């Protein structure tokens, strides 16, 4: 992030292994490089923040399964995106994420959201895509878009409302969803809330296209 032009003011890292930093610290007396890593990451204040970076980074211990990160991440900004360690921020990402808008005409800038039409062969040939659409249509029956989690620019306030709705529909950690598919089910079936279900929720409220500018990936491509 430090080397790119980007709009991100904070990074929230969701981790599962509670106490790993403390373990590093305990072993640092006999392992010099471990001590150096701990100092770089945490300094001496045990704040859970990474130091020495231009962008604030917070590390948060998960209190729910990983697939619930979309709803459980303690986001404080107006918008946010989710990603993993296999992705990197593109150098020109700021120019690709929002429409230009027109202040003089009162036209606000909106996040641009790439999507795949749900009826395309690209979706129809993959079980995971079909199941994602199926779950989205439980929220909004006319859903015709598939939005990948890493392509979505979530608006935090509507994320919060969506997550409350989703938990009411499927249970705190999706227990009702998991029960409907059995104890063990295909990894291609979404375990938790998704960007597509979030999109379906916004369409069910009639506000999706007032909040976002949707871009057909089969015609315009995507931010990748």
């Amino acid at each position: 992030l430090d080397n790119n032009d980007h709009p991100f003011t904070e990074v929230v890292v969701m981790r599962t292994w509670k106490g790993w930093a403390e373990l590093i610290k305990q072993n640092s007396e006999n392992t010099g490089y471990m001590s150096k890593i701990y100092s770089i990451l945490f300094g001496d204040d045990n704040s859970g923040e990474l130091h020495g970076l231009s962008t604030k980074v917070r590390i948060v211990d998960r209190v729910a399964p990983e697939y619930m990160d979309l709803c459980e991440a303690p986001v404080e900004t107006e918008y946010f995106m989710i990603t993993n360690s296999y992705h990197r921020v593109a150098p020109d990402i700021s120019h690709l994420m929002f429409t230009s808008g027109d202040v003089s005409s009162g036209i606000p800038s909106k996040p641009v959201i790439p999507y795949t039409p749900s009826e395309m062969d690209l979706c129809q040939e993959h079980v995971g895509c079909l199941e994602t659409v199926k779950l989205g249509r439980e929220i909004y029956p006319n859903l015709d878009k598939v939005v990948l989690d890493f392509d979505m620019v979530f608006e935090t306030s509507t994320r919060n409302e969506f997550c409350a709705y989703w938990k009411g529909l499927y249970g705190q950690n999706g227990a009702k969803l998991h029960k409907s598919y059995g104890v063990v089910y295909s990894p291609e079936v979404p375990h938790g809330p998704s960007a597509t279900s979030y999109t379906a929720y916004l369409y069910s409220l009639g506000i999706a296209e007032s909040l976002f500018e949707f871009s057909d990936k089969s015609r315009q491509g995507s931010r990748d």
Side-chain angles (χ1 to χ4, degrees):
L1 287 175
D2 279 5
N3 299 320
N4 293 329
D5 174 23
H6 64 81
F8 305 114
T9 58
E10 180 180 29
V11 175
V12 177
V13 180
M14 303 293 286
R15 70 179 180 188
T16 299
W17 186 10
K18 292 185 178 181
W20 70 271
E22 289 72 18
L23 182 63
I24 290 176
K25 188 174 183 180
Q26 290 171 9
N27 288 277
S28 64
E29 294 181 2
N30 300 318
T31 313
Y33 74 92
M34 295 289 273
S35 177
K36 185 176 181 180
I37 290 174
Y38 186 88
S39 296
I40 291 173
L41 294 182
F42 294 99
D44 299 317
D45 59 8
N46 296 313
S47 65
E49 295 184 9
L50 300 192
H51 300 279
L53 301 173
S54 61
T55 303
K56 180 182 177 182
V57 179
R58 271 192 298 143
I59 295 180
V60 177
D61 287 319
R62 289 188 175 99
V63 295
E66 181 178 349
Y67 57 78
M68 292 299 298
D69 281 356
L70 167 57
C71 288
E72 299 301 324
V75 180
E76 299 172 353
T77 53
E78 182 180 4
Y79 296 100
F80 72 96
M81 297 186 73
I82 59 176
T83 188
N84 60 22
S85 58
Y86 298 101
H87 290 73
R88 61 184 300 176
V89 176
D92 57 350
I93 190 67
S94 290
H95 307 293
L96 301 174
M97 290 179 61
F98 291 85
T99 60
S100 57
D102 188 340
V103 177
S104 62
S105 301
I107 301 174
S109 173
K110 296 192 292 186
V112 177
I113 310 300
Y115 73 91
T116 299
S118 59
E119 302 307 318
M120 282 192 65
D121 291 343
L122 183 63
C123 182
Q124 295 296 311
E125 294 172 359
H126 292 83
V127 174
C129 187
L130 291 173
E131 292 297 332
T132 298
V133 172
K134 177 182 175 182
L135 291 173
R137 286 177 176 168
E138 289 183 3
I139 298 173
Y140 181 65
N142 295 325
L143 181 69
D144 61 357
K145 296 176 175 63
V146 179
V147 181
L148 299 180
D149 291 350
F150 295 164
D151 281 341
M152 190 71 203
V153 180
F154 296 91
E155 185 195 46
T156 305
S157 61
T158 52
R159 183 282 303 254
N160 296 341
E161 295 167 3
F162 160 71
C163 288
Y165 171 86
W166 191 93
K167 291 175 182 179
L169 189 63
Y170 295 116
Q172 184 65 21
N173 291 325
K176 295 177 183 178
L177 173 62
H178 304 165
K179 185 177 181 180
S180 68
Y181 281 94
V183 177
V184 179
Y185 58 97
S186 169
E188 295 180 308
V189 176
H191 287 54
S194 69
T196 297
S197 289
Y198 170 70
T199 300
Y201 173 75
L202 297 180
Y203 269 105
S204 73
L205 298 179
I207 61 175
E209 295 187 9
S210 64
L211 293 176
F212 301 110
E213 182 72 28
F214 290 93
S215 174
D216 187 342
K217 293 170 70 171
S218 66
R219 297 181 179 180
Q220 283 88 31
S222 67
R223 283 187 286 266
D224 296 339

